[in-house]
Amino acid sequence: METKTAKLLDGKALAEKIHQGLQERITELQSQIGRPPGLAVLMVGDNPASAAYVRNKEKACAKVGIASFGQHFPTETSQGELEEIIAALNQDPQVDGILVQLPLPNHLDAVTLLHQIDPDKDADGLHPVNLGRLVRGEAGLRSCTPYGVMRLLQEYDIPLRGKQAVVVGRSILVGKPMALMLLEADATVTIAHSRSHDLKSITQNADILIAAAGKAGLITADMVKPGAVVVDVGMNRVTDPNGKSRLVGDVHLESIAGVAEFLTPVPGGVGPMTVAILLQNTFVSYAKRHGVSSDEL
Ligand code: NAP
């Protein structure tokens, strides 16, 4: 009997395509406008995972021609100092996007800092004004990870209208905006979380299943409807019996490959899309500030 294998939704390839498109548009506009787009990534302390993410973002900026105004602050930096820095970046005409790399040291209030960012420079799309625009279905900067998922589904012509979509996870970073974006695309959306009873009976109904719980191996083959589209947002570091550490998602990929129609790999699925949308958001702010359309992106 022939075994069916899910087709991969290749986030790495699509991110590369988005980078190329951005690079071309930036080269074209920079000579007209007289400056490149600028992104300021603020990092506090020395969390090694955050440092790696920041390096990755800065490398991607350099690749497409976005200027980085990254700043790295010592762990003891105060809330007031950071608020002043954000206020200065809000006024800085070279800067189109600002993001605060999370998590922050415990003495800092991340939500208050996030609220200080000018919503039109909110490259992460997490400011309440931008989340409010999403709730209302208005244009605005969209949260990078869920928007990256939407862009990936669109690239593979996956229909969403009228489909049953299940999002596992309800964080403000992923689950909630993800559910709203699917709703905006006319899917019928269910959100599951750690208090949901009988997760399996919920996920089994999903034509589109988005796993964003941060639990390795949470979604197994028996929880997936045959022919479903499964997007794995989870990024979990696990250690193999031989002591080697590797990155896995929330989905048990090997078993699901025989059930799902489409599947995102981890790594190489949603992760690269998040960075691509961050750069795109920075470009959109830049273009808007200079009255240029960014519609074709
Ligand atoms: P989070 O803030 O910890 O939220 C996790 C959500 O999953 C919560 O809503 C939680 O429910 C729910 N959950 C936890 N265990 C569950 C279970 N057993 N059954 C059902 N729901 C469960 O995490 P996050 O920031 O949303 O991130 C989620 C995952 O995505 C993480 O692995 C993170 O590393 C990854 N991530 C990846 C990218 C990327 O670019 N690929 C970007 C962002 C995040 P409660 O609300 O009830 O606690």
Side-chain angles (χ1 to χ4, degrees), residues 145 168-171 173 193-194 212-215 218 233-236 271 274:
T145 301
V168 183
R170 57 174 166 180
S171 73
L173 182 65
H193 45 79
S194 70
K215 294 276 175 291
L218 177 69
V233 180
M235 285 202 313
N236 312 292
T274 300

Side-chain angles (χ1 to χ4, degrees), residues 5-27:
T5 301
K7 297 184 238 352
L8 289 185
L9 299 172
D10 189 343
K12 198 168 167 218
L14 177 55
E16 195 52 49
K17 182 172 146 186
I18 293 173
H19 290 169
Q20 266 168 26
L22 284 170
Q23 190 183 22
E24 283 162 24
R25 292 285 278 132
I26 290 169
T27 308

